[in-house]
């Protein structure tokens, strides 16, 4: 791509954000994290109490892009074939021969919303694993590629845990970011009330194509990160492991640390954040900002921490205070 092509691509991102903000009030940090997940080529898990526009955010995102969108409502009786698809017996009207034809499920779309993913049993949750990691589906010994780009956003409710099935740690690790949606500020909530109880309806226009998203994903990987910052990320991730860490807080309150995938996620999302802000090099701020959504579902606290109400975000706080940048970066 020429420099002009790159600037044209980057100019699409503010427009995309503006279109989404026609409907979504506030939630700047959440919106940035969703866009970073999209640019980095991963998948996101959104957590928030009911009424914080989790589903509306994903639907608005799909409307702002010229891409296919499917929503899957996860329920206790949902089966894997309801997501992936199934084979049906059909007959050729010319020859009279019968054959099996694979009917694609709702997973075969560019943007997929897995709504309330923790309300379905692990058997059905696991149906997403291959699609999320390999971007393909295997059924009856045959492999079917998913559309490109493929982007899955799942939502879950932190309350009403009766009748839910918490996601296993192995599946949580497949999500690039764990995004927490907080309550809006007083002014934001006032704007929400004014915007949603009248006759005005915002019209969201597509501002970016699937091909442009793929080009941006390639551009993300070309963002520069210094060797010292790579070492910094490596030190942060390795310090989360209780058996080998030098951070006493981790030894006391953590029972399991992050794996190598966390380091990959932290670097990719830091690159995506830099690009989202119009920069072509990763900074310390990018890494520190992305450490929270990258690590909060990959660092498991122990019973002592739970008893003292110490969360994984508090663990990340301690990590960032304890792990210092290599000296070469400070020169």
């Amino acid at each position: 791509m020429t420099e002009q092509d790159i600037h044209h691509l980057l100019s699409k991102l503010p427009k995309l954000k503006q279109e989404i903000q026609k409907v979504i009030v506030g939630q700047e940090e959440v919106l940035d994290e969703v866009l970073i997940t999209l640019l980095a080529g991963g998948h996101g898990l959104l957590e928030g109490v009911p009424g914080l526009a989790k589903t509306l955010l994903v639907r608005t995102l799909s409307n702002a892009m010229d891409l296919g969108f499917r929503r899957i409502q996860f329920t206790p009786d949902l089966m894997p074939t309801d997501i992936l698809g199934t084979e049906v017996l059909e007959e050729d009207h010319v020859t009279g021969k019968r054959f099996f034809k694979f009917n694609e499920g709702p997973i075969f779309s560019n943007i997929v919303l897995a709504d309330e993913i923790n309300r379905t049993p692990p058997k059905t949750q696991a149906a997403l694993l291959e699609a999320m990691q390999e971007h393909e589906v295997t059924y009856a010994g045959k492999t079917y590629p998913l559309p490109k780009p493929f982007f899955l956003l799942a939502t879950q409710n932190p309350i009403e845990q009766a009748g839910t099935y918490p996601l296993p740690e192995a599946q949580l690790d497949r999500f690039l970011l764990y995004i927490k949606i907080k309550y809006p500020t007083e002014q934001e909530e006032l704007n929400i009330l004014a915007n949603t109880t009248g006759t005005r309806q915002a019209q969201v226009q597509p501002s970016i194509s699937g091909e442009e998203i793929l080009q941006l994903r390639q551009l993300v990987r070309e963002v520069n990160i210094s060797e010292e910052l790579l070492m910094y990320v490596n030190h942060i991730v390795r310090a989360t492991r209780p058996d080998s860490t030098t951070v006493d807080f981790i030894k006391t309150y953590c029972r399991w640390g992050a794996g190598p995938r966390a380091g990959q996620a932290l670097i990719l999302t830091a690159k995506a954040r830099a690009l989202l802000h119009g920069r072509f090099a990763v900074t310390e701020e990018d890494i520190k900002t992305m450490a929270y959504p990258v690590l909060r579902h990959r660092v498991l606290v122990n019973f002592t921490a739970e008893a003292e109400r110490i969360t994984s975000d508090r663990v990340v706080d301690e990590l960032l205070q304890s792990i210092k940048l290599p000296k070469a970066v400070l020169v």
Side-chain angles (χ1 to χ4, degrees), residues 10 21 29 54 58 66 74 90-91 100 127 129 171 185 192 200 248 257 264 286 299 301 315:
L10 293 180
Q21 288 174 327
E29 183 179 338
K54 299 185 295 294
V58 182
D66 191 16
F74 280 68
E90 293 194 356
E91 182 177 330
F100 282 101
L129 292 180
Q171 185 167 349
T185 64
I192 291 170
R200 187 183 70 86
D248 291 336
Q264 295 170 332
D286 293 324
V299 175
V301 297
V315 172

Side-chain angles (χ1 to χ4, degrees), residues 46-54 156-160 181-184:
L46 296 170
E47 181 182 274
V49 298
L52 294 186
K54 299 185 295 294
Q156 69 175 12
N157 193 335
I159 59 176
E160 297 182 48
I181 304 180
K182 302 175 183 177
Y183 285 111

Side-chain angles (χ1 to χ4, degrees), residues 83-103:
I83 299 171
L84 305 179
T86 187
E87 285 186 336
V88 294
L89 187 63
E90 293 194 356
E91 182 177 330
D92 189 319
H93 296 294
V94 178
T95 63
K97 290 184 178 180
R98 295 184 175 181
F99 60 93
F100 282 101
K101 179 184 177 182
F102 180 70
N103 281 358

Side-chain angles (χ1 to χ4, degrees), residues 286-307:
D286 293 324
I287 292 171
K288 287 186 172 182
T289 301
M290 299 316 302
Y292 293 92
V294 165
L295 294 176
R296 66 169 52 116
H297 57 301
R298 293 183 168 100
V299 175
L300 305 182
V301 297
N302 56 26
F303 178 76
T304 304
E306 291 176 359

Side-chain angles (χ1 to χ4, degrees), residues 1 15 17 33 54 70 79 85 101 121 129 144 154 208 227 231 251 277-278 303:
M1 288 188 293
K15 293 177 183 176
K17 194 171 179 179
E33 289 177 0
K54 299 185 295 294
R70 300 293 294 272
M79 298 297 290
K101 179 184 177 182
L129 292 180
Y144 304 89
I208 196 168
E227 186 176 348
M231 291 171 58
K251 291 179 180 179
H277 288 80
F303 178 76

Side-chain angles (χ1 to χ4, degrees), residues 155-197:
T155 69
Q156 69 175 12
N157 193 335
I159 59 176
E160 297 182 48
Q161 293 304 311
T164 62
Y165 304 84
L167 273 66
E169 284 75 10
Q171 185 167 349
L172 278 173
D173 195 36
R174 297 303 201 283
F175 287 100
L176 189 71
L177 296 185
Y178 187 170
I179 303 168
K180 288 194 173 183
I181 304 180
K182 302 175 183 177
Y183 285 111
T185 64
E186 183 175 357
Q187 185 59 51
E188 288 171 352
E189 193 158 0
L190 186 62
N191 292 340
I192 291 170
L193 295 176
N195 294 346
T196 58
T197 57

Side-chain angles (χ1 to χ4, degrees), residues 226-272:
S226 67
E227 186 176 348
E228 290 82 2
L229 287 176
L230 279 173
M231 291 171 58
Y232 182 51
V233 169
N234 196 34
H235 291 167
I236 290 173
V237 172
R238 292 182 64 82
T240 64
R241 301 164 190 168
D243 57 343
S244 60
T245 187
T246 58
V247 181
D248 291 336
F249 191 89
I250 303 297
K251 291 179 180 179
T252 304
Y253 293 110
C254 291
R255 62 184 174 91
W256 203 258
R261 189 181 279 131
Q264 295 170 332
L266 188 49
I267 291 169
L268 272 177
T269 54
K271 287 185 172 187

